[in-house]
Amino acid sequence: SQQGEEDPQALSIQEGENATMNCSYKTSINNLQWYRQNSGRGLVHLILIRSNEREKHSGRLRVTLDTSKKSSSLLITASRAADTASYFCATARPNRDDKIIFGKGTRLHILP
Amino acid sequence: GAVVSQHPSRVICKSGTSVKIECRSLDFQATTMFWYRQFPKKSLMLMATSNEGSKATYEQGVEKDKFLINHASLTLSTLTVTSAHPEDSSFYICSAPGTVGVSNQPQHFGDGTRLSIL
């Protein structure tokens, strides 16, 4: 079953603008991960934020986590055409297995 | 970095054919691999957890006799779609955690297999 819900489902912005995607989840987590998927390809891991962290940065990416609200956001600054892709959040449960459950994803389209 | 290779990338075949998809970890060992199914513009649905040297663990609603999983070595898991029918047409993706013995870590994904059953 799916754990996360991304919001919005689809987003179109002009190149150079910032893109913000949100993710909400239902159960306790050990960490939350964001992935990118280009059309017809596998997923690429972007960033992992642990349940005891509130914010994390990686290049043009900024992820926040609010465990009290069971939500996370992914901000992509100064967007580029190559950022056009689907973005998924995925949550890992607080146990020892590696299983992660994906949200429904946000389809991001960067307009030239 | 860790690389997962999935083969074939695309399969088109007639109804009733059995199709085998391979997932290999190229530069690391994977005692666990995961198989997902993805419909167009939809999320990834976890089908099963492939365990090296033991039986796979299937998610609720996934037919184990339909989707046979074998994990015979530390670098190879296979998914066989038996007697495939048009409703089995989908995008199948495998993944593996990067480090044995470390839980709750990022996954490394194959590039997926697009299966089309005529």
Side-chain angles (χ1 to χ4, degrees):
Chain A
S1 61
Q2 289 177 308
Q3 160 83 300
E5 293 270 347
E6 278 91 337
D7 164 47
Q9 291 187 16
L11 178 64
S12 293
I13 61 171
Q14 294 293 140
E15 192 169 16
E17 293 181 341
N18 296 341
T20 299
M21 289 159 273
N22 302 296
C23 167
S24 60
Y25 57 92
K26 298 174 183 176
T27 65
S28 298
I29 62 170
N30 190 51
N31 65 55
L32 186 144
Q33 304 169 31
W34 283 91
Y35 289 82
R36 184 187 73 223
Q37 183 182 32
N38 287 68
S39 181
R41 303 296 298 273
L43 277 72
V44 174
H45 175 256
L46 297 176
I47 200 163
L48 181 152
I49 186 165
R50 302 194 186 283
S51 59
N52 61 352
E53 297 176 308
R54 291 296 166 259
E55 188 172 310
K56 206 161 183 180
H57 297 255
S58 177
R60 293 184 296 113
L61 306 180
R62 173 177 168 252
V63 166
T64 62
L65 178 65
D66 187 335
T67 53
S68 66
K69 295 181 180 178
K70 290 187 168 58
S71 67
S72 173
S73 68
L74 170 66
L75 168 68
I76 303 175
T77 60
S79 63
R80 305 168 182 170
D83 295 330
T84 294
S86 291
Y87 292 82
F88 295 92
C89 68
T91 51
R93 301 173 306 178
N95 57 27
R96 295 184 58 81
D97 70 30
D98 287 304
K99 185 188 299 187
I100 57 174
I101 305 299
F102 284 87
K104 294 182 178 179
T106 293
R107 294 193 308 279
L108 176 65
H109 187 203
I110 307 301
L111 303 168
Chain B
V3 176
V4 172
S5 174
Q6 188 172 339
H7 178 80
S9 58
R10 180 158 186 124
V11 180
I12 302 173
C13 58
K14 294 181 179 179
S15 185
T17 306
S18 291
V19 178
K20 180 186 281 188
I21 303 169
E22 293 187 347
C23 182
R24 293 182 184 272
S25 56
L26 295 187
D27 52 358
F28 66 102
Q29 294 181 333
T31 55
T32 301
M33 290 185 177
F34 299 98
W35 287 96
Y36 297 86
R37 182 174 182 176
Q38 186 178 33
F39 291 102
K41 297 184 179 180
K42 298 294 184 182
S43 185
L44 280 74
M45 299 298 294
L46 179 64
M47 298 174 65
T49 302
S50 175
N51 304 298
E52 188 268 335
S54 64
K55 292 182 179 180
T57 306
Y58 290 83
E59 295 298 302
Q60 191 173 8
V62 177
E63 297 178 61
K64 61 181 180 181
D65 295 329
K66 177 72 170 178
F67 299 100
L68 299 179
I69 291 172
N70 184 276
H71 196 148
S73 77
L74 287 170
T75 59
L76 174 64
S77 174
T78 60
L79 168 68
T80 301
V81 184
T82 61
S83 187
H85 292 283
E87 59 267 27
D88 299 322
S89 298
S90 195
F91 192 57
Y92 294 87
I93 313 176
C94 67
S95 74
T99 307
V100 174
V102 178
S103 61
N104 293 160
Q105 57 182 305
Q107 300 283 318
H108 303 284
F109 282 83
D111 266 345
T113 297
R114 184 159 304 284
L115 176 62
S116 299
I117 307 300
L118 305 177

